[in-house]
Amino acid sequence: MNKIIFSIVLTTFLTGLHAQEQSDRTSKQTMKSNPAPLKEWYRMAGSELIFSQGNVTANGQKLENKTRFSLFLHFQHLHNYNFNKFLGIYAGLSLINVGFINKLPIPGSTDSELRQRS
């Protein structure tokens, strides 16, 4: 539990959070509803921490599943281009570690734990 709290605090302090652009209240110019530039490339980057869980059914039997928290730093970097206000394209790369932890019942023995990652 201490590792999880430490990771959340560390991530919070290492990443910059910018939700909105700051507006100039003294200016008579109003902000656009879509501040993304038109006919110009721009970049976006992000990261996240993931809680994952899956619904797994094998031979009609639902397997017990644990929620998995990934301490791996997930990162994405996107390049965007807007042709007009309604149409654009994007391309980029993401590095994400997603996985599941399932318990497999084995008759006449203890349950086995299966860890799957992609």
Side-chain angles (χ1 to χ4, degrees):
M1 186 68 170
N2 289 335
K3 288 181 183 180
I4 294 172
I5 293 171
F6 175 74
S7 298
I8 291 170
V9 170
L10 183 66
T11 304
T12 303
F13 286 112
L14 290 179
T15 58
L17 304 174
H18 304 283
Q20 298 172 348
E21 292 183 8
Q22 198 171 22
S23 63
D24 185 7
R25 293 183 186 261
T26 60
S27 172
K28 293 181 181 181
Q29 185 179 19
T30 60
M31 286 187 66
K32 296 184 218 175
S33 62
N34 183 7
L38 298 176
K39 299 184 180 177
E40 181 179 322
W41 285 98
Y42 63 97
R43 296 178 303 192
M44 296 173 61
S47 64
E48 59 191 348
L49 298 174
I50 295 179
F51 285 96
S52 60
Q53 186 174 11
N55 278 332
V56 179
T57 306
N59 298 326
Q61 181 181 9
K62 186 172 175 145
L63 301 178
E64 187 181 332
N65 195 301
K66 290 183 184 178
T67 302
R68 179 179 174 263
F69 176 66
S70 177
L71 290 174
F72 183 79
L73 180 62
H74 304 94
F75 180 75
Q76 63 183 352
H77 188 84
L78 301 171
H79 291 274
N80 301 277
Y81 186 87
N82 293 329
F83 297 107
N84 59 38
K85 189 175 174 183
F86 304 104
L87 180 66
I89 61 171
Y90 70 94
L93 294 172
S94 291
L95 183 62
I96 298 176
N97 178 13
V98 178
F100 307 103
I101 301 173
N102 298 306
K103 282 194 175 180
L104 301 171
I106 299 174
S109 180
T110 59
D111 292 347
S112 177
E113 189 171 274
L114 175 65
R115 295 174 181 248
Q116 300 170 300
R117 293 184 181 90
S118 62

